Amino acid sequence: MRLLLLITIFIFIVPFSNAHLEGGSDVVVNGYLLDFGYEPAKLEAGQNSILAFNLVNETTEEIIVPESVWVRISKGDKIFFAGTFFPEAKNVNFAYIFPEPGDYEIKARFKEGDVMLAEHVFDVRVSGFNAGLALMAFGIVSVILAFVAIRYVRK
């Protein structure tokens, strides 16, 4: 039982404990390092992704916790999401599903009261979901499970 618990911790908890995600970029604005990250490294339409925003003092490398972070996700003239987050854990992380492939702009504004500390637009490319590959993987797994079930029933 303990071994199962240990394996579960390493598989599900340890990968998410790292602050850096698989993709993203950093930019310096007004003396602040705006750290934008996302996961997975290759964003796909229709698939769950994680977006993360951090604000760091460029000189001291101290994490700054702004009062609010406004985020807008758009593609061309279409705005798919806009909302304000109030960080409680030193950063903003949220799950998002991009509705269609293409080039998106993700605008972030870090504010303290009425004062805007920093603002930047990050560009991301979202590919189309490869349904054929997913179907092929499902088919392979189904065949393997069928063979395992047949061998189990014969014993």
Side-chain angles (χ1 to χ4, degrees):
M1 185 65 176
R2 288 182 184 164
L3 179 62
L4 180 61
L5 179 61
L6 185 61
I7 291 171
T8 303
I9 289 171
F10 277 105
I11 291 175
F12 294 106
I13 297 175
V14 172
F16 298 106
S17 64
N18 192 345
H20 300 284
L21 299 178
E22 295 177 11
S25 63
D26 297 339
V27 64
V28 175
V29 176
N30 299 334
Y32 296 103
L33 175 70
L34 281 64
D35 175 19
F36 166 61
Y38 55 84
E39 200 169 278
K42 183 181 177 189
L43 298 170
E44 292 186 351
Q47 299 300 303
N48 194 36
S49 60
I50 303 294
L51 304 179
F53 301 87
N54 296 295
L55 187 65
V56 179
N57 182 304
E58 178 190 18
T59 307
T60 65
E61 297 182 358
E62 175 188 359
I63 296 174
I64 306 297
V65 182
E67 182 178 306
S68 66
V69 180
W70 177 81
V71 177
R72 182 183 72 201
I73 300 173
S74 61
K75 181 180 146 198
D77 292 337
K78 288 185 187 177
I79 296 174
F80 292 98
F81 172 83
T84 302
F85 297 91
F86 300 93
E88 294 181 10
K90 297 188 179 181
N91 60 23
V92 169
N93 293 305
F94 64 97
Y96 185 74
I97 297 175
F98 291 91
E100 57 191 50
D103 294 325
Y104 285 80
E105 289 185 344
I106 300 179
K107 186 173 191 174
R109 288 183 185 155
F110 297 83
K111 294 181 78 176
E112 189 63 43
D114 292 334
V115 177
M116 186 173 350
L117 303 173
E119 172 182 68
H120 188 72
V121 176
F122 298 95
D123 297 315
V124 296
R125 173 159 288 161
V126 176
S127 64
F129 177 64
N130 191 340
L133 183 61
L135 187 58
M136 183 175 73
F138 178 74
I140 291 170
V141 170
S142 297
V143 168
I144 291 170
L145 289 175
F147 280 123
V148 169
I150 290 169
R151 282 190 64 107
Y152 181 74
V153 169
R154 287 186 180 173
K155 288 185 177 184

